[in-house]
């Protein structure tokens, strides 16, 4: 069962750890120590800021670390709780899944207080931190597996008031693209659990890969602060958008293109480009049979190329591209 020495009801700034029991061969009484910071002052919303849900996604982890160091109570209205590297074992290993139990933090809910490390963390979020929070910010990127056009994104939650608040917060991040997505690879997602508890949930896909451009770090860090100001937890003025966002949506299974066979993936369209239905967006080349013509990857829908597979070496069934159609604010809020 996860414990912490932090007092979430105490004003001021506290730095501590979430301690997760993990008994192993060389540490019978060992704990995984996950850093956590809380900064509180006066009345206002409680915002939970999470990075490192997947360990190989470092943009959000860096942004949360920097903010945790910078924040003082005088800058806060309400309470901001920051966990820069939620899946700390995976962050240390530069992996998507935890090396301790093989679990995906973003498929681990509702969790189990007596289960594996990842499951214990999920249970603590569900039963302690989510109920404390009004807003949950879960920062993602494509990690080592995908490369995204930097975008803030959201689910189409059924509650219209909740959806409208999430939509406004998504826009406040300031990314050129906003992305409404569906879950095609399982259940137990962290954002879904927070949404089901009625929270204002803001999520992102901020680039990807292991070489992160300075521009993406700026989008991540500036966007995080802007959203915190937008929801009323951080003092300051919201920085207005420089241009209207391109709002996109991929909620149909055919929008998510899976590799029909294994091989070397070649993308033939630029990330963020407009794509026509039936357009060839890539090829799968055959390692063992270079004399064979490559397998074309055909767009089943029209829209923008929002994300592509990062590693060229690809297995059958891997998602190699996502096409998201442009939608209006009215379509999103009234769907």
């Amino acid at each position: 069962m996860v414990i912490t020495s932090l007092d979430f009801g105490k004003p001021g700034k506290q730095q501590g750890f979430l301690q997760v029991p993990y008994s192993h061969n060389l540490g019978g009484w060992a704990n995984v120590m996950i850093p956590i910071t809380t900064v509180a002052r006066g009345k206002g919303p409680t915002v939970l800021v999470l990075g490192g849900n997947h360990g190989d996604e470092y943009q959000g982890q860096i942004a949360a670390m920097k903010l945790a160091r910078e924040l003082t109570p005088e800058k806060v209205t309400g309470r901001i709780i920051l966990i820069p590297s939620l899946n700390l074992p995976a962050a240390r290993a530069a992996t998507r899944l935890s090396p301790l139990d093989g679990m995906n933090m973003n498929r681990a809910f509702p969790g189990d207080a007596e289960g594996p490390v990842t499951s214990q963390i999920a249970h603590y979020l569900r039963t302690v931190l989510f109920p404390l929070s009004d807003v949950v910010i879960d920062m993602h990127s494509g990690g080592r597996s995908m490369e995204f056009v930097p975008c803030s994104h959201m689910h189409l939650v059924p509650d219209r008031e909740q959806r409208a608040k999430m939509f406004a917060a998504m826009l406040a991040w300031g990314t050129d693209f906003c992305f409404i997505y569906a879950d095609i690879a399982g259940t137990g997602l962290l954002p879904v659990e927070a949404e089901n508890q009625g929270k204002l949930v803001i999520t992102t896909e901020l680039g990807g890969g292991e070489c992160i451009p300075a521009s993406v770090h700026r989008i991540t860090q500036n966007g995080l602060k802007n959203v915190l100001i937008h929801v009323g937890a951080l003092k300051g003025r919201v920085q207005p958008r420089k241009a209207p966002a391109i709002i996109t949506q991929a909620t149909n299974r055919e929008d998510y293109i899976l590799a029909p066979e294994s091989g070397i993936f070649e993308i033939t369209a630029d990330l963020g480009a407009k794509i026509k239905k039936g357009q060839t967006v890539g090829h799968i080349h055959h390692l063992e049979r270079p004399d064979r013509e490559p397998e074309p990857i055909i767009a089943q829908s029209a829209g923008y190329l929002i994300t592509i597979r990062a590693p060229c070496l690809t297995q059958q069934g891997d998602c190699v591209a996502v096409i998201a159609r442009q939608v209006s604010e009215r379509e999103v809020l009234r769907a």
Side-chain angles (χ1 to χ4, degrees):
M1 181 178 292
V2 179
I3 63 168
T4 184
S5 61
L6 295 187
D7 180 354
F8 293 112
K10 182 180 177 182
K13 185 171 185 176
Q14 302 173 73
Q15 171 66 57
F17 299 91
L18 300 181
Q19 298 177 218
V20 190
Y22 175 60
S23 180
H24 56 91
N25 284 336
L26 298 178
W29 293 344
N31 279 230
V32 177
M33 308 284 283
I34 301 172
I36 178 172
T37 301
T38 178
V39 187
R41 180 175 181 268
K43 293 183 179 180
T46 292
V47 183
L48 178 62
V49 177
L50 303 170
N53 181 330
H54 295 128
D56 62 350
E57 301 171 8
Y58 292 104
Q59 293 88 319
Q61 297 183 59
I62 291 169
M65 289 178 194
K66 292 179 74 170
L67 189 61
R69 292 193 297 269
E70 294 170 10
L71 279 184
T72 61
E74 293 72 29
K75 298 178 181 179
V76 172
T77 303
R79 177 171 51 188
I80 300 176
I81 302 169
L82 301 109
I83 306 178
S85 300
L86 181 64
N87 194 342
L88 185 67
R92 285 174 170 159
T95 56
R96 182 176 180 84
L97 310 182
S98 173
L100 303 186
D101 50 35
M103 292 184 68
N104 182 342
M105 179 66 73
N106 214 26
R107 300 291 186 276
F109 289 81
D112 181 350
E114 304 298 333
V117 168
T118 304
S119 190
Q120 290 184 57
I121 297 167
H123 180 269
Y124 188 80
L125 289 173
R126 179 177 66 85
T127 59
V128 178
L129 293 182
F130 287 171
L132 282 177
S133 303
D134 302 294
V135 180
V136 176
I137 300 176
D138 184 27
M139 294 179 286
H140 287 261
S141 74
R144 298 164 73 187
S145 64
M146 302 295 287
E147 182 72 34
F148 277 84
V149 174
C151 57
S152 51
H153 66 18
M154 63 178 281
H155 286 125
L156 284 178
V157 295
D159 184 279
R160 297 303 177 87
E161 182 179 355
Q162 182 187 22
R163 185 190 300 183
K165 290 179 179 179
M166 287 170 56
F167 184 82
M170 176 178 70
L171 291 179
W173 203 286
T175 53
D176 292 339
F177 282 82
C178 293
F179 177 40
I180 294 142
Y181 68 105
D183 303 319
I184 68 162
T187 58
L189 279 75
L190 184 154
V192 171
E193 178 60 43
E195 291 159 6
N196 289 343
Q197 292 193 26
K199 309 305 175 182
L200 194 172
V201 181
I202 304 106
T203 52
T204 66
E205 293 290 357
L206 297 164
E210 293 193 280
C211 181
I212 305 166
S215 60
V216 173
H217 284 302
R218 287 193 294 270
I219 291 168
T220 308
Q221 295 165 28
N222 294 339
L224 174 58
K225 289 180 180 178
N226 214 46
V227 170
L228 289 170
I229 295 168
H230 168 80
V231 299
L234 184 64
K235 292 182 179 179
R237 291 185 178 181
V238 172
Q239 296 300 308
R241 300 189 62 87
K242 295 179 180 179
I246 299 172
I247 303 167
T248 63
Q249 179 172 303
T251 51
N252 299 317
R253 196 167 184 88
E254 59 265 27
D255 299 331
Y256 298 78
I257 305 175
L258 307 183
E261 55 185 301
S262 302
I264 302 174
F265 174 61
E266 173 200 11
I267 188 70
T268 57
D270 293 326
L271 198 59
K274 280 189 173 181
I275 303 297
K276 296 178 181 179
K277 183 177 180 179
Q279 180 178 338
T280 298
V281 297
H283 295 95
I284 299 288
H285 294 267
H286 312 292
L287 276 168
E288 294 85 3
R289 289 295 305 275
D291 56 309
R292 280 181 58 193
E293 288 296 317
E295 181 74 19
I297 302 299
I298 307 297
Q300 302 302 308
S301 55
Y304 285 90
L305 183 58
I306 287 292
T307 183
I308 60 174
R309 179 167 171 79
C312 290
L313 194 61
T314 299
Q315 299 298 313
Q316 184 184 55
D318 286 339
C319 182
V320 294
V322 176
I323 311 297
R325 69 182 181 92
Q326 188 168 4
V327 292
S328 67
E329 178 177 347
R330 179 185 177 90
E331 286 178 89
V332 174
L333 297 183
R334 297 195 177 186

